[in-house]
Amino acid sequence: MNIADIRKSYEKAELSEAHSQADPLMQFDHWLKEAIASEVPEPNAMTVATVGPDLRPSTRVVLIKGYDERGIVWYTNYESQKGRELAGNPYAALQFHWVELERVVRIEGLVEKVSAEESDAYFATRPLDSRIGAWASPQSQVIPDRTVLVTAAAKYGAKFLLHPPRPPHWGGYRLKPDTWEFWQGRKSRLHDRLRYRQENDAWVRERLAP
C-alpha cells in the first residue's frame, strides 16, 4: 500500500450561496444538527489550535459545549498548555471535520474565559468521575506514571465525596468568531468553500477557490 495512492471522490452534497444561510451561526447550527442526526462519530468534537510564545502552533481535540451569538464554548484546565498559550495570545482557531458528510467547518476569533457562574453551572452537570478528574489531573505537566493520577483521584474522591466543587484552575472558554469557513467536498477536487468574514458589524459571504 502506497499512502500517496489513497484517494476519495467527494460526491455526497454541494454548498451554494443560494442554499446557505446569510448568518454563519445559522449555517453552523444547521450543519451541526445534521451531523448529530446522521449519527457521525463524535459530531461535537473539534480541534483547537493555539500559538505559544515561541510562535509554534499546537492543536488538540476538545468537545463543544455550547454556542450562540456570543461564540463557541468549551471547558478545560486553565493551567494546561492551551490555557497558558491563550493567556499569552488570546486568538485561536477551531475545526470540525465530519468525515462521513464530507464537511469541514473552520472558525477563527478572539477567546475569553466564560463567567465563573457559567463554569460552575456546567461543572455541576458533569459525571462525578469527571469532576474528580478535574482535580486529580495536573493537565499537560510531566508525571512519572499513571499511579500519580489514580492516587490523586482517590485522594480527592475521599475529600469531596459526592460534591466536588469546581477547581479554580478549571473552567470555560468562549471563542467569538470573526471568520467562518464552510467546506463541502466535491467531485474532481472542485470543492465548495464559503467564507464569512466580519465587515462593519455585518457578515460578508464569499466563495474561495478550493
Side-chain angles (χ1 to χ4, degrees):
M1 172 66 70
N2 183 345
I3 194 170
D5 293 332
I6 299 176
R7 293 182 175 84
K8 176 182 178 180
S9 181
Y10 299 97
E11 302 180 19
K12 286 185 178 295
E14 62 182 49
L15 178 63
S16 69
E17 291 83 347
H19 295 94
S20 60
Q21 300 290 334
D23 184 331
L25 181 63
M26 294 178 63
Q27 181 65 33
F28 174 73
D29 178 70
H30 176 65
W31 269 20
L32 177 58
K33 287 177 178 176
E34 283 197 343
I36 294 170
S38 300
E39 299 184 341
V40 304
E42 296 196 274
N44 56 333
M46 61 183 186
T47 299
V48 178
T50 56
V51 176
D54 56 1
L55 303 183
R56 292 173 65 100
S58 61
T59 65
R60 71 287 288 160
V61 177
V62 302
L63 302 179
I64 183 175
K65 292 300 179 181
Y67 61 97
D68 56 26
E69 65 282 352
R70 297 173 298 168
I72 310 293
V73 174
W74 72 95
Y75 292 86
T76 189
N77 188 315
Y78 289 143
E79 297 175 356
S80 64
Q81 179 180 349
K82 58 185 170 297
R84 296 193 305 270
E85 290 179 346
L86 286 169
N89 176 12
Y91 287 91
L94 311 177
Q95 178 172 288
F96 293 82
H97 187 192
W98 299 309
V99 177
E100 293 76 8
L101 300 179
E102 301 174 352
R103 289 174 174 171
V104 173
V105 180
R106 298 175 56 240
I107 313 166
E108 299 176 5
L110 181 68
V111 179
E112 62 183 10
K113 291 180 180 178
V114 307
S115 68
E117 291 76 16
E118 287 179 87
S119 290
D120 287 341
Y122 172 69
F123 189 78
T125 70
R126 304 185 85 208
L128 178 60
D129 287 351
S130 296
R131 284 178 281 156
I132 294 296
W135 283 94
S137 175
Q139 193 174 120
S140 299
Q141 296 183 29
V142 176
I143 57 176
D145 53 46
R146 185 173 175 81
T147 303
V148 172
L149 300 176
V150 175
T151 301
K155 168 189 169 183
Y156 286 112
K159 179 178 180 179
F160 296 125
L161 300 178
L162 299 178
H163 303 287
R166 178 176 64 90
H169 58 263
W170 190 98
Y173 286 106
R174 177 179 287 108
L175 181 143
K176 181 175 177 56
D178 56 32
T179 305
W180 299 73
E181 183 186 322
F182 296 85
W183 181 96
Q184 177 71 62
R186 297 294 301 276
K187 190 175 181 180
S188 303
R189 295 299 186 266
L190 299 179
H191 310 302
D192 290 326
R193 295 175 63 190
L194 294 185
R195 180 177 65 187
Y196 297 72
R197 57 181 175 82
Q198 278 193 316
E199 187 174 286
N200 300 324
D201 296 325
W203 288 105
V204 176
R205 179 179 50 192
E206 50 200 2
R207 178 171 289 267
L208 303 179

